Amino acid sequence: MSTTQSERLRGLLEPLVSAKELDLEEIEVSRAGRRRVLRVVVDSEDGVELDTCAELSRVIAETLDATDAMGEGEYVLEVSSPGADRPLTEHRHYVRATGRLVKLTLADGGELVARVLGVDDEGLDLEVPGVKGRKPTARRIAFDEIARARVEIEFNRKDKKEEEA
């Protein structure tokens, strides 16, 4: 997708997404045979429900049909939330991951799996699980020490709503 088309689509879609109190995470146009696929990824502090994606998809489709932003030819529109294991690339992603287990690839090549306890402008406060019965330890990591980060999926962890009940 050209930068110009990307900027135009972002300018067109950002207000629609914001009106639903969502963040526009990603826009991608790719080819699928003779058609193009427009993928729009949105998120919020509380996640995104399927009904919200469906409503937003209708609004985006109407807006795109009323403009020439996608040019001539057919395209398929996909509106979704990011996957549970998507990369953490923005400050808000780390904030949303508070309380979650993350896998960090460090700039020095090391790896670390830890729970995010807090996030500020400089970095993360983490709890590194203890090994072989040892207690967890606290650790501070600056953002510039992180090469890549991703949420680790936990199947047996209670979510916040269960813990508050």
Side-chain angles (χ1 to χ4, degrees), residues 14-33:
E14 190 94 54
L16 304 175
V17 172
S18 294
K20 298 279 185 193
E21 298 183 357
L22 300 171
D23 295 318
L24 180 57
E25 295 290 344
E26 183 180 340
I27 298 172
E28 176 189 345
V29 177
S30 60
R31 285 237 169 250

PDB file of all heavy atoms in Angstrom, residues 14-33:
ATOM      1  N   GLU A  14      -9.708   7.175  10.932  1.00  0.00           N
ATOM      2  CA  GLU A  14      -9.411   7.532  12.324  1.00  0.00           C
ATOM      3  C   GLU A  14     -10.614   8.171  13.034  1.00  0.00           C
ATOM      4  O   GLU A  14     -10.963   7.756  14.139  1.00  0.00           O
ATOM      5  CB  GLU A  14      -8.200   8.456  12.385  1.00  0.00           C
ATOM      6  CG  GLU A  14      -7.685   8.675  13.788  1.00  0.00           C
ATOM      7  CD  GLU A  14      -6.572   7.724  14.154  1.00  0.00           C
ATOM      8  OE1 GLU A  14      -5.585   7.661  13.424  1.00  0.00           O
ATOM      9  OE2 GLU A  14      -6.705   7.041  15.178  1.00  0.00           O
ATOM     10  N   PRO A  15     -11.309   9.155  12.430  1.00  0.00           N
ATOM     11  CA  PRO A  15     -12.466   9.746  13.124  1.00  0.00           C
ATOM     12  C   PRO A  15     -13.605   8.746  13.343  1.00  0.00           C
ATOM     13  O   PRO A  15     -14.299   8.812  14.360  1.00  0.00           O
ATOM     14  CB  PRO A  15     -12.909  10.881  12.189  1.00  0.00           C
ATOM     15  CG  PRO A  15     -11.771  11.133  11.282  1.00  0.00           C
ATOM     16  CD  PRO A  15     -10.990   9.869  11.191  1.00  0.00           C
ATOM     17  N   LEU A  16     -13.787   7.831  12.406  1.00  0.00           N
ATOM     18  CA  LEU A  16     -14.848   6.824  12.540  1.00  0.00           C
ATOM     19  C   LEU A  16     -14.552   5.883  13.707  1.00  0.00           C
ATOM     20  O   LEU A  16     -15.437   5.527  14.485  1.00  0.00           O
ATOM     21  CB  LEU A  16     -14.992   6.011  11.245  1.00  0.00           C
ATOM     22  CG  LEU A  16     -15.264   6.797   9.964  1.00  0.00           C
ATOM     23  CD1 LEU A  16     -15.255   5.871   8.762  1.00  0.00           C
ATOM     24  CD2 LEU A  16     -16.580   7.549  10.059  1.00  0.00           C
ATOM     25  N   VAL A  17     -13.289   5.490  13.804  1.00  0.00           N
ATOM     26  CA  VAL A  17     -12.853   4.589  14.875  1.00  0.00           C
ATOM     27  C   VAL A  17     -12.916   5.311  16.219  1.00  0.00           C
ATOM     28  O   VAL A  17     -13.417   4.768  17.206  1.00  0.00           O
ATOM     29  CB  VAL A  17     -11.431   4.050  14.578  1.00  0.00           C
ATOM     30  CG1 VAL A  17     -10.876   3.280  15.749  1.00  0.00           C
ATOM     31  CG2 VAL A  17     -11.445   3.191  13.309  1.00  0.00           C
ATOM     32  N   SER A  18     -12.440   6.533  16.260  1.00  0.00           N
ATOM     33  CA  SER A  18     -12.462   7.325  17.495  1.00  0.00           C
ATOM     34  C   SER A  18     -13.881   7.567  17.990  1.00  0.00           C
ATOM     35  O   SER A  18     -14.126   7.612  19.193  1.00  0.00           O
ATOM     36  CB  SER A  18     -11.764   8.671  17.283  1.00  0.00           C
ATOM     37  OG  SER A  18     -10.404   8.471  17.033  1.00  0.00           O
ATOM     38  N   ALA A  19     -14.821   7.722  17.059  1.00  0.00           N
ATOM     39  CA  ALA A  19     -16.222   7.940  17.438  1.00  0.00           C
ATOM     40  C   ALA A  19     -16.788   6.752  18.209  1.00  0.00           C
ATOM     41  O   ALA A  19     -17.723   6.906  18.998  1.00  0.00           O
ATOM     42  CB  ALA A  19     -17.065   8.220  16.196  1.00  0.00           C
ATOM     43  N   LYS A  20     -16.217   5.581  18.003  1.00  0.00           N
ATOM     44  CA  LYS A  20     -16.625   4.373  18.734  1.00  0.00           C
ATOM     45  C   LYS A  20     -15.781   4.169  19.989  1.00  0.00           C
ATOM     46  O   LYS A  20     -15.833   3.125  20.625  1.00  0.00           O
ATOM     47  CB  LYS A  20     -16.503   3.131  17.840  1.00  0.00           C
ATOM     48  CG  LYS A  20     -17.372   3.156  16.622  1.00  0.00           C
ATOM     49  CD  LYS A  20     -18.770   2.761  16.950  1.00  0.00           C
ATOM     50  CE  LYS A  20     -19.596   2.668  15.673  1.00  0.00           C
ATOM     51  NZ  LYS A  20     -21.009   2.587  15.966  1.00  0.00           N
ATOM     52  N   GLU A  21     -14.954   5.188  20.326  1.00  0.00           N
ATOM     53  CA  GLU A  21     -14.043   5.157  21.477  1.00  0.00           C
ATOM     54  C   GLU A  21     -13.042   4.009  21.385  1.00  0.00           C
ATOM     55  O   GLU A  21     -12.767   3.305  22.351  1.00  0.00           O
ATOM     56  CB  GLU A  21     -14.836   5.109  22.782  1.00  0.00           C
ATOM     57  CG  GLU A  21     -15.700   6.340  22.975  1.00  0.00           C
ATOM     58  CD  GLU A  21     -16.454   6.349  24.292  1.00  0.00           C
ATOM     59  OE1 GLU A  21     -16.365   5.367  25.057  1.00  0.00           O
ATOM     60  OE2 GLU A  21     -17.120   7.358  24.538  1.00  0.00           O
ATOM     61  N   LEU A  22     -12.500   3.836  20.163  1.00  0.00           N
ATOM     62  CA  LEU A  22     -11.504   2.814  19.884  1.00  0.00           C
ATOM     63  C   LEU A  22     -10.232   3.467  19.364  1.00  0.00           C
ATOM     64  O   LEU A  22     -10.256   4.615  18.929  1.00  0.00           O
ATOM     65  CB  LEU A  22     -12.034   1.827  18.835  1.00  0.00           C
ATOM     66  CG  LEU A  22     -13.306   1.058  19.183  1.00  0.00           C
ATOM     67  CD1 LEU A  22     -13.809   0.311  17.962  1.00  0.00           C
ATOM     68  CD2 LEU A  22     -13.055   0.100  20.328  1.00  0.00           C
ATOM     69  N   ASP A  23      -9.145   2.716  19.401  1.00  0.00           N
ATOM     70  CA  ASP A  23      -7.872   3.147  18.825  1.00  0.00           C
ATOM     71  C   ASP A  23      -7.672   2.413  17.508  1.00  0.00           C
ATOM     72  O   ASP A  23      -7.877   1.200  17.428  1.00  0.00           O
ATOM     73  CB  ASP A  23      -6.700   2.795  19.753  1.00  0.00           C
ATOM     74  CG  ASP A  23      -6.761   3.544  21.070  1.00  0.00           C
ATOM     75  OD1 ASP A  23      -7.077   4.746  21.057  1.00  0.00           O
ATOM     76  OD2 ASP A  23      -6.481   2.920  22.113  1.00  0.00           O
ATOM     77  N   LEU A  24      -7.257   3.144  16.484  1.00  0.00           N
ATOM     78  CA  LEU A  24      -6.925   2.543  15.202  1.00  0.00           C
ATOM     79  C   LEU A  24      -5.497   2.037  15.299  1.00  0.00           C
ATOM     80  O   LEU A  24      -4.551   2.816  15.370  1.00  0.00           O
ATOM     81  CB  LEU A  24      -7.071   3.567  14.075  1.00  0.00           C
ATOM     82  CG  LEU A  24      -6.761   3.093  12.667  1.00  0.00           C
ATOM     83  CD1 LEU A  24      -7.632   1.899  12.281  1.00  0.00           C
ATOM     84  CD2 LEU A  24      -6.958   4.234  11.675  1.00  0.00           C
ATOM     85  N   GLU A  25      -5.338   0.727  15.343  1.00  0.00           N
ATOM     86  CA  GLU A  25      -4.018   0.126  15.528  1.00  0.00           C
ATOM     87  C   GLU A  25      -3.280  -0.095  14.213  1.00  0.00           C
ATOM     88  O   GLU A  25      -2.077   0.099  14.129  1.00  0.00           O
ATOM     89  CB  GLU A  25      -4.139  -1.213  16.261  1.00  0.00           C
ATOM     90  CG  GLU A  25      -4.654  -1.100  17.674  1.00  0.00           C
ATOM     91  CD  GLU A  25      -3.670  -0.446  18.620  1.00  0.00           C
ATOM     92  OE1 GLU A  25      -2.478  -0.335  18.291  1.00  0.00           O
ATOM     93  OE2 GLU A  25      -4.102  -0.032  19.703  1.00  0.00           O
ATOM     94  N   GLU A  26      -4.007  -0.532  13.186  1.00  0.00           N
ATOM     95  CA  GLU A  26      -3.324  -0.907  11.948  1.00  0.00           C
ATOM     96  C   GLU A  26      -4.286  -0.852  10.777  1.00  0.00           C
ATOM     97  O   GLU A  26      -5.470  -1.155  10.917  1.00  0.00           O
ATOM     98  CB  GLU A  26      -2.782  -2.332  12.103  1.00  0.00           C
ATOM     99  CG  GLU A  26      -1.985  -2.842  10.953  1.00  0.00           C
ATOM    100  CD  GLU A  26      -1.485  -4.269  11.189  1.00  0.00           C
ATOM    101  OE1 GLU A  26      -1.431  -4.712  12.344  1.00  0.00           O
ATOM    102  OE2 GLU A  26      -1.151  -4.918  10.194  1.00  0.00           O
ATOM    103  N   ILE A  27      -3.762  -0.453   9.630  1.00  0.00           N
ATOM    104  CA  ILE A  27      -4.487  -0.521   8.357  1.00  0.00           C
ATOM    105  C   ILE A  27      -3.555  -1.230   7.391  1.00  0.00           C
ATOM    106  O   ILE A  27      -2.385  -0.871   7.268  1.00  0.00           O
ATOM    107  CB  ILE A  27      -4.798   0.884   7.801  1.00  0.00           C
ATOM    108  CG1 ILE A  27      -5.692   1.663   8.751  1.00  0.00           C
ATOM    109  CG2 ILE A  27      -5.461   0.772   6.428  1.00  0.00           C
ATOM    110  CD1 ILE A  27      -5.859   3.121   8.347  1.00  0.00           C
ATOM    111  N   GLU A  28      -4.080  -2.236   6.709  1.00  0.00           N
ATOM    112  CA  GLU A  28      -3.257  -2.979   5.748  1.00  0.00           C
ATOM    113  C   GLU A  28      -4.093  -3.290   4.521  1.00  0.00           C
ATOM    114  O   GLU A  28      -5.216  -3.768   4.631  1.00  0.00           O
ATOM    115  CB  GLU A  28      -2.769  -4.285   6.375  1.00  0.00           C
ATOM    116  CG  GLU A  28      -2.002  -5.166   5.433  1.00  0.00           C
ATOM    117  CD  GLU A  28      -1.724  -6.551   6.000  1.00  0.00           C
ATOM    118  OE1 GLU A  28      -1.876  -6.750   7.211  1.00  0.00           O
ATOM    119  OE2 GLU A  28      -1.377  -7.437   5.201  1.00  0.00           O
ATOM    120  N   VAL A  29      -3.552  -3.002   3.347  1.00  0.00           N
ATOM    121  CA  VAL A  29      -4.190  -3.383   2.093  1.00  0.00           C
ATOM    122  C   VAL A  29      -3.295  -4.421   1.441  1.00  0.00           C
ATOM    123  O   VAL A  29      -2.099  -4.193   1.264  1.00  0.00           O
ATOM    124  CB  VAL A  29      -4.389  -2.174   1.148  1.00  0.00           C
ATOM    125  CG1 VAL A  29      -4.994  -2.631  -0.175  1.00  0.00           C
ATOM    126  CG2 VAL A  29      -5.274  -1.125   1.797  1.00  0.00           C
ATOM    127  N   SER A  30      -3.886  -5.580   1.114  1.00  0.00           N
ATOM    128  CA  SER A  30      -3.108  -6.639   0.464  1.00  0.00           C
ATOM    129  C   SER A  30      -3.938  -7.236  -0.666  1.00  0.00           C
ATOM    130  O   SER A  30      -5.114  -6.937  -0.811  1.00  0.00           O
ATOM    131  CB  SER A  30      -2.719  -7.717   1.487  1.00  0.00           C
ATOM    132  OG  SER A  30      -3.880  -8.286   2.057  1.00  0.00           O
ATOM    133  N   ARG A  31      -3.311  -8.073  -1.448  1.00  0.00           N
ATOM    134  CA  ARG A  31      -3.988  -8.739  -2.562  1.00  0.00           C
ATOM    135  C   ARG A  31      -4.381 -10.154  -2.156  1.00  0.00           C
ATOM    136  O   ARG A  31      -3.625 -10.850  -1.494  1.00  0.00           O
ATOM    137  CB  ARG A  31      -3.074  -8.818  -3.770  1.00  0.00           C
ATOM    138  CG  ARG A  31      -2.933  -7.496  -4.461  1.00  0.00           C
ATOM    139  CD  ARG A  31      -3.358  -7.640  -5.920  1.00  0.00           C
ATOM    140  NE  ARG A  31      -3.469  -6.334  -6.528  1.00  0.00           N
ATOM    141  CZ  ARG A  31      -4.625  -5.784  -6.877  1.00  0.00           C
ATOM    142  NH1 ARG A  31      -5.744  -6.417  -6.670  1.00  0.00           N
ATOM    143  NH2 ARG A  31      -4.660  -4.597  -7.434  1.00  0.00           N
ATOM    144  N   ALA A  32      -5.577 -10.547  -2.599  1.00  0.00           N
ATOM    145  CA  ALA A  32      -6.059 -11.920  -2.439  1.00  0.00           C
ATOM    146  C   ALA A  32      -6.655 -12.303  -3.787  1.00  0.00           C
ATOM    147  O   ALA A  32      -7.831 -12.033  -4.056  1.00  0.00           O
ATOM    148  CB  ALA A  32      -7.080 -12.026  -1.327  1.00  0.00           C
ATOM    149  N   GLY A  33      -5.827 -12.866  -4.654  1.00  0.00           N
ATOM    150  CA  GLY A  33      -6.280 -13.146  -6.016  1.00  0.00           C
ATOM    151  C   GLY A  33      -6.452 -11.841  -6.767  1.00  0.00           C
ATOM    152  O   GLY A  33      -5.569 -10.996  -6.791  1.00  0.00           O
TER     153      GLY A  33
END
